Each structure stands twice: as structure tokens, then as C-alpha cells.
Amino acid sequence: MCASTGKGVTCWGDNRWSQAGQQPNSHVEPTAVKELEGKKIVSLSAGVVHACAITQDEGTSLWCWGSDYAGQLGSGKQGDKATGAREVHLPNSRQAVRVMATDFGTCVVDDKDALWCWGSNDSKTFTNGDEPIVGITLMTPPDTSTSSPSPIERDSVSDVHKNAGSS
């Protein structure tokens, strides 16, 4: 679990996957995420085993920490756990303005109101492709000329909205 008063992020509880921003262990007391200490936090969200925050000091930065097992830290591939918070860069120098962690994925809205998502693609959550993990991907509006909703319309948006208020 993580929280912020607007400066830095404090996490506590289960930390087996470094999701509390510390070296892995079973449980941590409330502890600051070192890389974010003193930084202005404008958005924060936590998934099952990862968390992400957007800082805004001398520019806007997106940071994620915890498990990267499903690529939810932005690697685009199955990874391990982060050794601390790592900065995630969107393509084309876009700046994240809002972050929403899903169970095993992450989505951000950028400064041009575009939606980018990455992480687990189980049940084709983010794309219609067969890849189990997707890298940072621009989500396109659903094709309304078809009768069935696209995966992003059916699953991801509802998951994002469900999880956005739960961090």
C-alpha cells in the first residue's frame, strides 16, 4: 500500500515483490520510497505487486516500482522486481499527467490526452494480439463499425476506472 501527502511517497505492508519500494522482504513498516523523497507527487496508483507515481518538479516524470513480472514497470517484457523506483519514458517525449495501475498493468493519460498502457495482455486486455505482455502501447479508440467491443473498450477501460480509485 502506498500514499502521498503531495511530497514523496510512503509505502508499507507486503513487500515480497518490492512493491513498497524497498528491498524485498515479507513486510515493511511505513517507509519513504527513496527515489521520490521530496518530489511533488501529482498522481499515484498501485496494482497488485507494483505502484507508479508521477512527479512534477523540474519537469514531469513517471516512476514505477515493484514487480515487472508482467512488464507492468514499462519494460515490455517479462522482468523481475525493481531494485527501487525506476523512471519510465513515454514515446515521442510525451509527458504523463495521470497514472492508473491495473492488477498487472499500467496505463497513463499523457499531456495530449492520449492513453498509453503496458503490462499483462491476458485475455487480450490491451491488444487483440496473442502476445502475453505488451510494451508501452498507444491505445486507439474502438472500431465502432464492428458489432463486438474491442478488448480496450470491453476490459481495460473498465479495469482502469475500477482500479483508479482504489489506490
Side-chain angles (χ1 to χ4, degrees), residues 10-30:
T10 299
C11 298
W12 63 93
D14 186 0
N15 191 51
R16 291 173 288 173
W17 290 96
S18 298
Q19 67 265 41
Q22 310 301 315
Q23 291 299 317
N25 60 38
S26 62
H27 181 83
V28 294
E29 297 299 318

Side-chain angles (χ1 to χ4, degrees), residues 20-92:
Q22 310 301 315
Q23 291 299 317
N25 60 38
S26 62
H27 181 83
V28 294
E29 297 299 318
T31 307
V33 176
K34 181 179 149 190
E35 295 82 358
L36 304 180
E37 287 185 90
K39 294 187 183 292
K40 180 181 177 184
I41 305 300
V42 296
S43 186
L44 172 66
S45 188
V48 174
V49 291
H50 79 293
C52 296
I54 298 173
T55 62
Q56 195 172 55
D57 288 304
E58 295 180 22
T60 302
S61 298
L62 172 63
W63 297 83
C64 294
W65 59 94
S67 173
D68 197 29
Y69 184 78
Q72 64 264 49
L73 302 185
S75 68
K77 60 185 179 197
Q78 187 173 24
D80 200 2
K81 45 194 136 193
T83 55
R86 61 173 73 150
E87 194 169 2
V88 178
H89 300 279
L90 296 178
N92 306 319

Side-chain angles (χ1 to χ4, degrees), residues 53-130:
I54 298 173
T55 62
Q56 195 172 55
D57 288 304
E58 295 180 22
T60 302
S61 298
L62 172 63
W63 297 83
C64 294
W65 59 94
S67 173
D68 197 29
Y69 184 78
Q72 64 264 49
L73 302 185
S75 68
K77 60 185 179 197
Q78 187 173 24
D80 200 2
K81 45 194 136 193
T83 55
R86 61 173 73 150
E87 194 169 2
V88 178
H89 300 279
L90 296 178
N92 306 319
S93 301
R94 295 285 183 92
Q95 299 295 308
V97 296
R98 192 170 59 243
V99 62
M100 298 139 293
T102 65
D103 289 348
F104 299 102
T106 306
C107 293
V108 298
V109 174
D110 73 14
D111 53 337
K112 307 274 190 215
D113 287 329
L115 178 66
W116 300 83
C117 296
W118 58 89
S120 174
N121 195 41
D122 286 350
S123 303
K124 299 184 179 186
T125 302
F126 296 134
T127 72
N128 282 322
D130 292 326

